[in-house]
């Protein structure tokens, strides 16, 4: 399914305005490129009716890439904390189910939306702005909100990789998920970025080797 065409400039200007008003909340200097968005969304499953949740939707670039991959009957939700970006997403992407809230409350927010788990969770959260305890809390929420065999992906920029919080986050990924991978890097992003992926272990009692329990 292809997203309808819209002026990219409106997304960018809205995003940059939100950064200037609250740089700690957005944690980025520019919107994600379409290339990194497609890479991040590559974990979206093709099973009919799949549930995909995006954390930190921002201007909606990754939301569009997710929509392009959504299977028939799927449900796409976007979690965003910044109220200005929430208004922008609801105005420009009426097809997107936008939830105002914090990723640390993911499980509760999904239950309020009538969901118990997601098949895939996609993130562009600014992990290096979170302390160790926040990183652990949010990753635990993500892991417990994924269906067995579900996938997680998150953007990280190359500029933050030398920092202790980035190294700590990578270690948490290894301890949280059954397997962890890396996609990229994408050099045509500001700044250059790559994507970490994590697989929640399939349920050994499900009898389904793909782990696609729902």
């Amino acid at each position: 399914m292809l997203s309808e065409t819209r002026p990219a400039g409106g997304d960018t200007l809205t995003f940059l305005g939100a950064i200037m008003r609250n740089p700690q909340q957005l944690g980025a200097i520019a919107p994600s490129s379409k290339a990194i968005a497609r890479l991040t969304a590559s974990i979206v499953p093709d099973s009919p009716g799949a549930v995909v949740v995006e954390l930190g939707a921002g201007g909606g670039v990754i939301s569009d890439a997710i929509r392009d991959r959504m299977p028939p009957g799927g449900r796409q939700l976007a979690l965003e904390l910044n109220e200005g970006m929430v208004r922008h997403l609801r105005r420009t992407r009426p097809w997107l189910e936008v939830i105002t809230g914090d990723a640390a409350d993911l499980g509760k927010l999904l239950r309020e939306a009538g969901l118990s788990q997601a098949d895939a969770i996609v993130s562009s959260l600014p992990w290096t702005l979170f302390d160790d305890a926040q990183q652990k809390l949010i990753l635990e929420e993500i892991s417990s909100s994924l269906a067995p065999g579900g996938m997680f992906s998150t953007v990280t920029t190359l500029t933050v990789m030398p920092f202790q919080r980035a190294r700590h986050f990578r270690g948490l990924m290894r301890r949280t998920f059954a397997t962890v991978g890396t996609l990229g890097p994408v050099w045509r992003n500001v700044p250059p970025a790559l994507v970490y992926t994590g697989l929640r272990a399939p349920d050994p009692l499900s009898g389904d080797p793909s782990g696609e329990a729902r």
Side-chain angles (χ1 to χ4, degrees):
M1 180 186 296
L2 296 177
S3 314
E4 70 270 21
T5 302
R6 66 176 58 80
D11 293 344
T12 302
L13 290 175
T14 302
F15 190 84
L16 293 176
I19 290 171
M20 287 188 288
R21 288 188 294 273
N22 198 337
Q24 291 298 311
Q25 197 173 73
L26 273 294
I29 61 173
S32 299
S33 68
K34 289 184 178 180
I36 199 72
R38 287 192 295 268
L39 199 61
T40 312
S42 65
I43 67 163
V44 172
D46 58 7
S47 52
V51 174
V52 180
V53 179
E54 180 184 3
L55 307 179
V61 177
I62 296 178
S63 305
D64 294 341
I66 294 170
R67 190 191 189 202
D68 290 344
R69 298 182 63 93
M70 285 297 294
R75 188 172 175 186
Q76 180 180 353
L77 300 91
L79 186 64
E80 175 56 54
L81 185 60
N82 183 278
E83 293 183 357
M85 299 314 301
V86 168
R87 291 192 296 271
H88 171 77
L89 291 167
R90 288 175 174 163
R91 183 177 68 252
T92 60
R93 294 162 176 83
W95 44 265
L96 182 62
E97 189 172 345
V98 183
I99 298 173
T100 306
D102 194 315
D105 300 319
L106 177 59
K108 178 176 72 71
L109 294 169
L110 287 182
R111 289 191 293 275
E112 290 174 354
L115 295 167
S116 57
Q117 291 179 315
D119 298 286
I121 297 176
V122 175
S123 160
S124 55
L125 295 175
W127 295 101
T128 54
L129 296 185
F130 305 147
D131 61 28
D132 293 357
Q134 288 175 300
Q135 288 185 358
K136 186 173 185 294
L137 172 62
I138 295 173
L139 272 185
E140 287 175 348
E141 285 287 312
I142 290 169
S143 177
S144 63
S145 297
L146 275 173
M151 289 289 295
F152 168 63
S153 68
T154 188
V155 178
T156 187
T157 62
L158 300 188
T159 52
V160 304
M161 294 186 74
F163 295 104
Q164 187 275 333
R165 284 186 179 176
R167 296 193 299 272
H168 181 265
F169 175 72
R170 178 69 175 179
L172 277 178
M173 286 278 295
R174 293 193 187 99
R175 293 191 291 276
T176 302
F177 296 100
T179 60
V180 174
T182 303
L183 304 175
V186 174
W187 299 106
R188 297 183 67 179
N189 193 76
V190 182
L194 51 77
V195 174
Y196 290 146
T197 63
L199 169 71
R200 182 179 174 185
D203 184 352
L205 302 179
S206 69
D208 181 357
S210 70
E212 292 179 356
R214 293 189 57 80

